[in-house]
Amino acid sequence: MKTTLLLAFGLMSFFSNSQQIIDKCLSHKAIQYQESLTPGYIDQVNSVFARAKAHQSNYSQEKMNSLYTIPVVFHVVYNTAAQNIHDSVLINQIKVLNDDYNRLNADTVNMRSDFDGVAGSPRIEFRLAQIDEFGAPTTGITRTNTSTTSFGSIAAVTGSFADLEKVKSTADGGIDPWDQSRYLNIWVCNMSINFFGQEITALLGYATPPDGLPHWPAGATSGMSDGVVLQFQTVGTNNPNQIDMGNGLQNTLGRTATHEVGHYLGLRHIWGDGDCTAEDGIDDTPNADAESNFDCDDTKNTCVDNILGVDLPDMIENFMDYSADDCQNSFTQGQGDLMIGVLENERYDLVHNNPASIQNLDATDLSVFPNPTSNSITLTHKNNITEIRLIGMYGTTLSSTIPLQSGSTISLENYPAGVYFINYTSESGMVFSKRVVKQ
Ligand code: ZN
Ligand code: CA
């Protein structure tokens, strides 16, 4: 991607407190906001999506052959000590992303069997950057103490992103992004809104979709800056700051990041931001006539569709719905393919020959021998691996071992010939993957 300052629209996860004062989603307003800055924007977004979708069927082979690794930098922008969330919470969020994008999340067992034929693993992994823009070692985390008490505002509710975007600018009380073609920038901050004297945590996060807008002026800075923004309480499953999502204070499961990164990689809301006639452009996601409103109602089938020959119920399990964190657990294969299409096009530099992703993996290095194999494989590795899983082609966990001695073997005897993956987790929660072929 040639531009570093991307102009793109935000898709807001947006909810109100129980009084339903505020809209749930600003994405439509965000598109209009961006269109007003740069006429023709909506057409460009639509054409980028169409191009990624047209390409998606080409990527099945590439997806089988590689694991896409995205370097992440977290920018923690805090006004209070509580907002300055600990490294362990950010590392935990990386693990949630890796679990969700590799179908390793334990709660896939809660997905209704209706969706067995469509659920899939995007096979995308996330790593905290270990090398910064200038080639120096980094933790992949920046911390900025700001005098801005909140980047949210009433103006944000009415469709202007100008205040929110200040978190992405050092001059405006936030912090400038790292090279957006090589890092996924995730800002973590406070976006609560003062609503007639009451502090309302109304915005969970927003993301910019893939940029593919070649006609835009180079260096344009009038629009939105590429990346993801998260309300600080939504990060990780071990965040000491709880959040009220309408059911009282509780911990989140880190799924706001999963959802927003989905937008960043080109996905739209599963209900298509409209009624049954609007759709998300993905063939294997059921239509719905509206978002699921943070509930987990598994009785709903609001639109008639035909996927694999059946009319599927509304997929509240999908990460791109607005169901509660604890009923989301899956992407579909079509959604995974579209995201790979984006990584092969609009976000190519993020995952190909990217110096930012070069890692010293000595501590967790794992070898698999023989490969290809006709029966069993032997795994050798250093000490600090906490879990090893054998994964089938569509992300199903076939077996799991904790802990596993270096030099142990895993038998593939009972599985058909094909491609498998050994996913292993380091002590810091990072998930790595090796491809294994059974002949
Ligand atoms: Zn969204
Ligand atoms: Ca249906």
Side-chain angles (χ1 to χ4, degrees):
M1 205 155 17
K2 60 183 168 44
T3 57
T4 53
L5 283 162
L6 305 180
L7 305 172
F9 74 93
L11 291 133
M12 308 279 304
S13 291
F14 192 46
F15 75 99
S16 71
N17 64 5
S18 50
Q19 288 94 30
Q20 297 284 319
I21 299 169
I22 304 169
D23 291 341
K24 282 187 165 38
C25 185
L26 284 187
S27 58
H28 185 64
K29 289 174 184 169
I31 294 169
Q32 290 177 335
Y33 172 71
Q34 194 60 63
E35 174 81 12
S36 73
L37 296 176
T38 313
Y41 176 75
I42 292 173
D43 287 346
Q44 288 299 320
V45 168
N46 289 338
S47 70
V48 166
F49 187 86
R51 189 162 68 233
K53 187 171 187 308
H55 287 173
Q56 66 177 250
S57 59
N58 299 336
Y59 295 116
S60 299
Q61 193 62 39
E62 284 158 73
K63 197 170 151 187
M64 280 165 49
N65 289 332
S66 54
L67 183 71
Y68 291 82
T69 301
I70 297 179
V72 175
V73 53
F74 280 112
H75 302 292
V76 179
V77 181
Y78 64 97
N79 178 253
T80 67
Q83 294 163 10
N84 190 18
I85 59 175
H86 195 265
D87 284 3
S88 62
V89 179
L90 301 166
I91 289 167
N92 174 278
Q93 180 64 69
I94 291 285
K95 175 164 170 38
V96 170
L97 285 168
N98 283 324
D99 283 352
D100 289 350
Y101 278 82
N102 290 280
R103 206 160 170 72
L104 296 173
N105 47 308
D107 53 0
T108 53
V109 296
N110 299 334
M111 189 189 74
R112 287 166 289 171
S113 59
D114 305 69
F115 303 112
D116 283 349
V118 300
S121 168
R123 292 189 35 69
I124 297 166
E125 72 168 346
F126 301 84
R127 290 187 195 168
L128 283 173
Q130 293 196 345
I131 297 171
D132 74 10
E133 291 187 286
F134 309 105
T138 175
T139 59
I141 298 168
T142 75
R143 296 186 181 275
T144 303
N145 190 349
T146 182
S147 60
T148 305
T149 54
S150 175
F151 292 92
S153 64
I154 295 296
V157 179
T158 57
S160 168
F161 287 72
D163 292 329
L164 294 169
E165 287 285 291
K166 288 177 180 171
V167 75
K168 302 174 180 176
S169 163
T170 304
D172 293 324
I175 183 169
D176 293 340
W178 291 9
D179 181 350
Q180 286 146 314
S181 68
R182 295 199 287 124
Y183 300 88
L184 163 54
N185 286 264
I186 302 180
W187 287 267
V188 177
C189 65
N190 181 35
M191 296 183 280
S192 67
I193 291 169
N194 191 303
F195 193 77
F196 295 108
Q198 187 187 357
E199 279 299 310
I200 298 174
T201 305
L203 308 170
L204 293 186
Y206 70 99
T208 51
D211 174 75
L213 313 174
H215 71 292
W216 284 22
T221 56
S222 61
M224 301 176 75
S225 183
D226 192 38
V228 169
V229 182
L230 299 175
Q231 177 69 19
F232 69 95
Q233 301 99 324
T234 70
V235 178
T237 64
N238 58 346
N239 194 319
N241 304 287
Q242 296 187 309
I243 193 166
D244 185 351
M245 300 170 77
N247 300 312
L249 283 171
Q250 55 187 294
N251 289 99
T252 69
L253 299 179
R255 257 71 194 256
T256 299
T258 302
H259 177 102
E260 297 303 341
V261 170
H263 285 318
Y264 172 83
L265 294 174
L267 297 185
R268 292 177 167 180
H269 290 139
I270 188 172
W271 69 96
D273 294 313
D275 59 15
C276 290
T277 64
E279 77 137 275
D280 63 355
I282 307 289
D283 294 338
D284 63 2
T285 52
N287 286 357
D289 77 349
E291 77 273 19
S292 62
N293 244 348
F294 285 93
D295 64 25
C296 292
D297 182 355
D298 63 5
T299 67
K300 285 196 298 191
N301 186 349
T302 57
C303 301
V304 176
D305 45 40
N306 183 343
I307 297 166
L308 306 177
V310 292
D311 175 19
L312 291 172
D314 292 6
M315 190 176 184
I316 58 166
E317 293 94 330
N318 198 282
F319 291 124
M320 300 313 290
D321 199 353
Y322 266 0
S323 40
D325 272 21
D326 60 1
C327 53
Q328 294 183 356
N329 51 49
S330 298
F331 287 111
T332 67
Q333 293 164 32
Q335 287 175 317
D337 289 346
L338 185 113
M339 290 190 278
I340 299 303
V342 164
L343 290 175
E344 288 290 347
N345 287 280
E346 287 75 22
R347 295 200 185 280
Y348 185 91
D349 290 345
L350 198 59
V351 291
H352 292 281
N353 307 314
N354 186 352
S357 69
I358 294 172
Q359 309 267 319
N360 177 1
L361 294 182
D362 278 348
T364 52
D365 204 10
L366 175 142
S367 337
V368 177
F369 180 84
N371 188 11
T373 182
S374 53
N375 185 359
S376 66
I377 48 174
T378 299
L379 306 178
T380 54
H381 55 87
K382 307 250 173 95
N383 288 332
N384 57 344
I385 286 176
T386 59
E387 181 172 28
I388 293 182
R389 295 182 192 225
L390 175 66
I391 307 291
M393 195 180 303
Y394 290 111
T396 315
T397 298
L398 302 173
S399 68
S400 159
T401 315
I402 317 168
L404 188 134
Q405 299 293 318
S406 183
S408 300
T409 60
I410 291 180
S411 173
L412 301 181
E413 195 176 9
N414 296 327
Y415 303 114
V419 177
Y420 296 86
F421 298 91
I422 301 294
N423 280 20
Y424 56 106
T425 308
S426 73
E427 277 181 332
S428 63
M430 303 248 187
V431 176
F432 303 93
S433 191
K434 292 269 178 178
R435 179 172 179 265
V436 179
V437 175
K438 181 179 178 187
Q439 291 173 326

